[in-house]
Amino acid sequence: MNVSEHVPAVSGVLSVVALALVFAAALQAIPQSLLPRAPDAVLAAIPHVNAVVSATAIGTIVVGVRAIRRGDVARHRAAMLSTTGLFALFLVAYLYRVALLGPSDFSGPPLVEGVIYPGILAVHIVLAVVCVPLVIYVLLLALTRSVPELRETRHPTVGRVAAALWLISFTLGIVVYLMLYVLF
């Protein structure tokens, strides 16, 4: 099958597979016996490393957006591929930890625990889930088209939406991290 002729369909299939893995890990449906157990110190470090990864991803998204606005396609491509790699690293580390330990408990004040934290977390999760198919779609377009051809696709439009949602999701992820591990 020629992927370039079926980008929406391939994006859909890859998105379903990726999100199924995400939800299986997040809901602890993957048997722990299938996962090697890292030392407790490594598991404890994952949220802190992921906060740094998220901040770095915010930087690479901004670099990528600015590069394409200036017409620097090579820098845009490098930045967005870097962001995709950072997103994958974040996701693998996060899902590995949550598959083994479950989600982190929030121990902040009742008002924050009952209203503010769940709202921020929900928006972060929804945007992260929405980003998966958008990112896969624009990535497949970028990998299967030349630059002149790419301009004639939905890559620029969907890419702008994906970048904006990614920025918000990564930023809210850092806010969630701060609420879980720094502020409370």
Side-chain angles (χ1 to χ4, degrees), residues 7-89:
V7 168
V10 173
S11 298
V13 170
L14 291 175
S15 297
V16 167
V17 170
L19 291 171
L21 289 171
V22 166
F23 283 105
L27 297 171
Q28 293 187 293
I30 298 172
Q32 290 187 8
S33 61
L34 295 178
L35 301 172
R37 177 77 183 200
D40 289 342
V42 171
L43 293 172
I46 288 173
H48 311 294
V49 170
N50 271 351
V52 172
V53 168
S54 294
T56 305
I58 290 168
T60 58
I61 292 168
V62 170
V63 166
V65 168
R66 293 180 80 187
I68 202 63
R69 285 183 180 160
R70 293 182 178 137
D72 189 343
V73 175
R75 186 169 184 165
H76 169 75
R77 179 178 283 231
M80 294 321 227
L81 287 173
S82 295
T83 304
T84 303
L86 290 165
F87 182 52
L89 174 64

Side-chain angles (χ1 to χ4, degrees), residues 73 77 141-153:
V73 175
R77 179 178 283 231
L141 283 174
L143 295 174
T144 61
R145 306 281 194 290
S146 68
V147 172
E149 291 173 325
L150 201 54
R151 291 185 180 115
E152 302 302 318
T153 69

Side-chain angles (χ1 to χ4, degrees), residues 104 120 125 173:
S104 299
I120 292 170
I125 291 170

Side-chain angles (χ1 to χ4, degrees), residues 104-174:
S104 299
D105 292 327
F106 183 77
S107 59
L111 173 65
V112 177
E113 181 180 15
V115 179
I116 298 169
Y117 176 76
I120 292 170
L121 182 62
V123 173
H124 164 66
I125 291 170
V126 167
L127 292 180
V129 167
V130 168
C131 282
V132 169
L134 296 178
V135 168
I136 290 172
Y137 178 73
V138 295
L139 185 62
L140 286 176
L141 283 174
L143 295 174
T144 61
R145 306 281 194 290
S146 68
V147 172
E149 291 173 325
L150 201 54
R151 291 185 180 115
E152 302 302 318
T153 69
R154 298 194 39 86
H155 179 89
T157 303
V158 176
R160 276 191 293 277
V161 172
L165 297 181
W166 240 3
L167 278 172
I168 296 167
S169 180
F170 274 121
T171 301
L172 290 178
I174 292 172

